Amino acid sequence: MASERALALKTEKPLGWVPAANEFAEAVIDGLSSSPKTLPCRYFYDARGSELFEAITDLPEYYPTRTETAILAANAADIADRVPEGSILVEFGSGSSRKTELLLAEMLDLAAYVPIDVSYSALAGAKQRLNGRFPALHVHPIVGNFTDEIVYPSALQPRPKIGFFPGSTIGNLTPAEARELLAGMGHKLGPDGRLIIGVDLKKDAHTLVAAYNDAAGVTAAFNLNLLTRINRELSATFDLTQFRHEAVYNPRDGRIEMYLASERAQQVSLLGHTFAFAKAERIHTENSYKYTVDEFQTLAREAGWQPEEVWTDKDSLFSVHELAQSDADLSFRSRPSY
Ligand code: SAH
Ligand code: AVI
């Protein structure tokens, strides 16, 4: 069994790593100086934001998590069948890693599980739980942006790499960004790399808007928590009672848009900058793109991936895709299913 040290990834940051305050400050100042005002959605996930996201996943209106979980539960053994022994499972935006447990239970001969997330608290919680349930599994969390390069140590470099990107987090990027991220994942996973990715499907606007504007107000709290984080970490003066959560479906672009709308004309200061808000002016905090199966497969092909399998639920709410690198040698497959 390789030692923890031998398996440590070169780019792995200590588990306590948090993005440099100036990176966060720059992103917030840039976003609030833009017209229209924006904030990057990856900053939702401080400890409270990760907790609120977990609460969202239990909401009756938020169908994606339970639907994707059921798809994975029904197909985990099939997915695992095609994973060569001694592979590394690399997860992008792993959060609580709860869906991953379904795969890990079927992939008992993995060399390592590498969850990557910007949320320290989510990774720490997941590592502790997984160490308890799978004591033989090497878990190597990386606190950081999944767009960053991963430099594998030489012991792991030649091993087959399976990517896992559930949750439809791909939908939080524009299609152009998604193409770039998928192409980058191809590079990170190597020529024999495979990717299991969850993608939310287009559906009626009513169902979509309800999922992002729940009756209990948990999504509103998740959205507003971004301002709490900015107040705390960047000494800003947002008055949380004077901003309102909004979620709308934009059918032209096929995306849910989340905003924080100013209840009145007001000013907010932050690190020596002052930002003026008109009444009803909005900060665009998140997009959540929805795809048809064909649209997503086209995007994947454009990024150098070959769609191999797709699973959906009976109501066609959500899809899970298995992709292979376009020029991959698939001879290791255990059964000729396609
Ligand atoms: N995969 C989990 C969590 C989805 S929530 C699931 O399917 O339920 C999105 C997760 O991605 C959060 O944990 C968030 O912290 C993480 N995340 C968002 N943007 C990220 C980025 N740019 N780099 C790394 N992690 C990111
Ligand atoms: C992580 N991501 C895919 C979620 C989504 O559905 O876009 C984040 C979220 N935003 C509001 N609710 C959930």
Side-chain angles (χ1 to χ4, degrees), residues 275-296:
F275 300 100
F277 289 82
K279 184 175 163 76
E281 185 179 353
R282 303 189 298 186
I283 310 172
H284 189 171
T285 51
E286 190 182 59
N287 289 319
S288 197
Y289 283 82
K290 311 300 168 186
Y291 291 92
T292 64
V293 166
D294 282 354
E295 282 169 349
F296 182 73

Side-chain angles (χ1 to χ4, degrees), residues 66-128:
R66 61 176 175 273
T67 311
E68 184 181 30
T69 301
I71 295 172
L72 288 169
N75 297 288
D78 196 13
I79 292 168
D81 264 1
R82 291 189 285 276
V83 172
E85 201 179 321
S87 294
I88 307 165
L89 183 68
V90 182
E91 182 167 354
F92 303 94
S94 48
S96 66
S97 296
R98 289 208 180 270
K99 292 167 190 165
T100 326
E101 285 194 43
L102 296 165
L103 299 186
L104 293 175
E106 301 290 338
M107 297 178 183
L108 296 176
D109 49 18
L110 284 179
Y113 167 53
V114 180
I116 304 172
D117 205 290
V118 286
S119 171
Y120 162 76
S121 63
L123 283 170
K127 181 171 164 62
Q128 191 181 24

Side-chain angles (χ1 to χ4, degrees), residues 13-19 42 45-48 50 94-96 115-128 141-145 229:
K13 302 184 174 72
L15 202 49
W17 179 87
V18 286
R42 68 177 178 282
Y45 302 93
D46 62 355
R48 179 67 184 143
S50 292
S94 48
S96 66
I116 304 172
D117 205 290
V118 286
S119 171
Y120 162 76
S121 63
L123 283 170
K127 181 171 164 62
Q128 191 181 24
I142 298 180
V143 188
N145 198 321
R229 180 178 187 179

Side-chain angles (χ1 to χ4, degrees), residues 12 15 38 49 65 80 125 142 156 172 186 194 249 267 282 291 296 315:
E12 186 173 346
L15 202 49
T38 61
T65 305
I142 298 180
L156 289 189
N172 297 135
R194 310 177 66 70
Y249 184 60
Q267 293 196 336
R282 303 189 298 186
Y291 291 92
F296 182 73
D315 299 317

Side-chain angles (χ1 to χ4, degrees), residues 24 88 117 133 145 153 167 174 184 191 244 246 248 289 306 308:
F24 182 37
I88 307 165
D117 205 290
R133 178 162 177 202
N145 198 321
T174 64
R244 181 183 68 249
E246 282 182 7
V248 294
Y289 283 82
Q306 177 59 40
E308 295 281 329

Side-chain angles (χ1 to χ4, degrees), residues 45 53 56 62 167-169 172 212 219 222 258 286 288:
Y45 302 93
F53 177 75
I56 287 173
Y62 196 74
S168 203
T169 303
N172 297 135
Y212 293 83
T219 311
F222 173 72
M258 287 205 326
E286 190 182 59
S288 197

